[in-house]
Amino acid sequence: MKRISILGSTGSIGTQTLDIVRLNDDVKVEALTAHKNIDLLEKQIREFRPRVAAIWEESDAKLLFERVKDTDTKVYFGMEGLIEAATVKEADIVVTAVVGMIGIEPTVAAINAGKDIALANKETLVCAGHIIMPLAKKTGINIYPVDSEHSAIFQCLDRHNPIKKILLTASGGPFRGYTKEDLQKVTLEDALKHPNWSMGKKITIDSATMVNKGLEIIEASHLFDVDIDDIEVVIQKESIIHSMVEFKDNGIIAQLGTPDMRLPISYALFYPERRYISDDRVDFASLATLNFSKPDLDVFEGLKLAMLAGKRGGSAPTVLNAANEWAVAKFLKKKIRFTDIPYLIGKALDAHEFTKNPSISDILSLKKWTEEYLERIRI
């Protein structure tokens, strides 16, 4: 029996993880958490009967407790609740599907508790990869990537030969081929229309700015122990090739599939076993062609800033990520323009006091500093 905890069970990755659970009768859900979607979390509790559930606000937790008091599920809230769900004794793998830097502390707690990690929260490695990866090695736990690109790289690895180069694919988002002038006119509604993937709002905006691909570069460098310079972004607009690995002899292995996040989720949960997901498959006859191009770093400044922050390391990726989280939240509320997102990231990176080897406490303090700094900027 595979026993799992899902941090962020009401989001895109969380709900698709539960789709996988429904397909497999040898999986037991031990814990579920949500940010604020109390109605869906209640439905999930009633369907999967976890030992533990958590929601962010205390007031929501009190309401949830009243709703599910006829079950055996214990209800928690806040960071304590996330950590409780991440460390529940019976679980052997934790799916970290929460959005943002909030995922760092429960991931560390889960690793210290001896849980394997199915990692869907990229901010954990972007900000604290220099802490997380050595800790995972020390404790002997496995980190299985859930991002489609990182899962693809993981699937392509040759255990006997080191990586020469990672070819990290990107769809290019909804604004592939746009000029800087075109981006000035982008609306929130435009940015939320991803051509290939169905994702949560935050990651959809990150894909549109291509900051997401920059975060993935940093994450990949930690996961696979490669230099930033050995990771190349390739636009593959159909999202059929999910990433590739090049080896010393210039041979390249690619992982292909339909744009379906259930594949990397399932692979992370059941590695090395592959299990049935759906009848949807790549039809090469109808596909006809695959298109490739290079990203335009002058137009997509967020990607360029992320690559520079990744190369610098230290505190730079944390400030990059915190600034992006803050700016995207403002854009989703229509408080700033689309092109203000990379502008604000650049301002925060330039202004912050660089730290070479930040601790978890330093990382959380940098997040607070970044938010306070950006609040003072007038655009």
Side-chain angles (χ1 to χ4, degrees):
M1 180 67 69
K2 177 76 69 171
R3 298 181 179 275
I4 69 172
S5 295
I6 306 174
L7 310 186
S9 65
T10 60
S12 176
I13 296 296
T15 54
Q16 290 178 88
T17 301
L18 291 174
D19 287 342
I20 299 297
V21 174
R22 293 183 184 100
L23 290 172
N24 296 276
D25 58 10
D26 59 347
V27 182
K28 174 69 172 71
V29 176
E30 300 290 350
L32 297 169
T33 82
H35 179 57
K36 59 183 178 181
N37 193 340
I38 189 171
D39 293 333
L40 181 54
L41 183 57
E42 180 189 355
K43 290 178 182 177
Q44 292 175 346
I45 290 169
R46 296 195 176 281
E47 180 178 358
F48 296 99
R49 301 287 171 161
R51 296 173 187 271
V52 169
I55 199 160
W56 190 249
E57 296 293 342
E58 183 177 7
S59 57
D60 288 335
K62 289 178 179 178
L63 180 57
L64 181 64
F65 171 79
E66 287 300 319
R67 289 192 187 184
V68 300
K69 62 183 179 182
D70 59 315
T71 73
D72 294 327
T73 300
K74 294 181 180 179
V75 176
Y76 298 86
F77 68 91
M79 182 56 69
E80 178 187 346
L82 278 173
I83 292 174
E84 190 71 34
T87 58
V88 63
K89 181 180 178 181
E90 291 76 12
D92 46 55
I93 187 166
V94 179
V95 181
T96 59
V98 293
V99 176
M101 293 170 65
I102 195 174
I104 296 174
E105 290 182 88
T107 302
V108 170
I111 292 171
N112 282 325
K115 315 295 184 186
D116 285 339
I117 306 296
L119 185 69
N121 173 258
K122 62 175 56 68
E123 292 85 357
T124 295
L125 291 190
V126 168
C127 302
H130 62 291
I131 297 170
I132 297 292
M133 295 309 293
L135 181 62
K137 185 175 181 180
K138 178 182 177 182
T139 56
I141 67 96
N142 299 299
I143 296 181
Y144 300 112
V146 169
D147 268 356
S148 63
E149 294 84 357
H150 300 94
S151 176
I153 296 161
F154 182 62
Q155 293 176 60
C156 292
L157 292 179
D158 180 338
R159 304 300 176 189
H160 301 291
N161 289 287
I163 293 170
K164 176 183 177 182
K165 185 178 282 289
I166 287 173
L167 301 168
L168 194 69
T169 59
S171 70
F175 309 130
R176 183 183 59 250
Y178 274 41
T179 65
K180 282 186 176 182
E181 291 71 26
D182 294 332
L183 291 183
Q184 294 285 345
K185 304 168 189 175
V186 162
T187 67
L188 174 60
E189 291 72 22
D190 295 332
L192 288 171
K193 295 176 183 176
H194 196 283
N196 299 339
W197 294 93
S198 176
M199 305 177 290
K201 289 184 178 180
K202 196 268 183 181
I203 193 172
T204 303
I205 300 303
D206 285 350
S207 178
T209 61
M210 292 201 72
V211 169
N212 187 54
K213 204 53 51 179
L215 298 177
E216 288 177 3
I217 290 172
I218 300 169
E219 183 182 8
S221 71
H222 289 296
L223 267 175
F224 306 110
D225 193 24
V226 297
D227 292 336
I228 295 290
D229 288 337
D230 293 326
I231 304 173
E232 179 183 340
V233 175
V234 178
I235 303 296
Q236 204 288 289
K237 74 174 187 178
E238 294 85 5
S239 294
I240 296 298
I241 296 179
H242 298 303
S243 274
M244 300 170 274
V245 174
E246 182 177 345
F247 297 97
K248 188 176 182 180
D249 61 358
N250 298 326
I252 296 173
I253 295 178
Q255 188 266 326
L256 287 73
T258 57
D260 187 342
M261 283 304 301
R262 291 175 300 170
L263 191 157
I265 294 168
S266 180
Y267 195 70
L269 290 179
F270 301 113
Y271 175 82
E273 183 184 355
R274 292 182 182 270
R275 295 195 177 184
Y276 171 83
I277 297 171
S278 75
D279 293 328
D280 189 22
R281 57 190 295 273
V282 176
D283 183 350
F284 287 98
S286 62
L287 187 64
T289 61
L290 293 173
N291 294 275
F292 302 91
S293 60
K294 290 184 177 181
D296 190 330
L297 299 183
D298 290 328
V299 174
F300 293 97
E301 298 175 73
L303 173 57
K304 184 177 182 179
L305 288 168
M307 293 168 70
L308 291 171
K311 288 184 72 171
R312 191 178 189 194
S315 56
T318 293
V319 174
L320 164 87
N321 186 79
N324 181 61
E325 283 187 19
W326 187 92
V328 169
K330 293 293 183 182
F331 178 64
L332 286 170
K333 294 177 181 178
K334 299 186 176 182
K335 301 288 187 181
I336 64 173
R337 298 168 300 173
F338 183 77
T339 50
D340 291 332
I341 297 173
Y343 170 78
L344 291 167
I345 292 171
K347 293 287 287 185
L349 283 169
D350 288 342
H352 94 280
E353 186 174 338
F354 179 77
T355 304
K356 186 176 181 180
N357 191 33
S359 64
I360 296 293
S361 176
D362 293 334
I363 288 167
L364 298 177
S365 295
L366 278 165
K367 181 179 188 294
K368 183 179 179 182
W369 174 88
T370 302
E371 293 167 347
E372 291 174 349
Y373 171 77
L374 291 176
E375 287 284 357
R376 299 194 298 268
I377 291 181
R378 291 188 178 183
I379 300 173

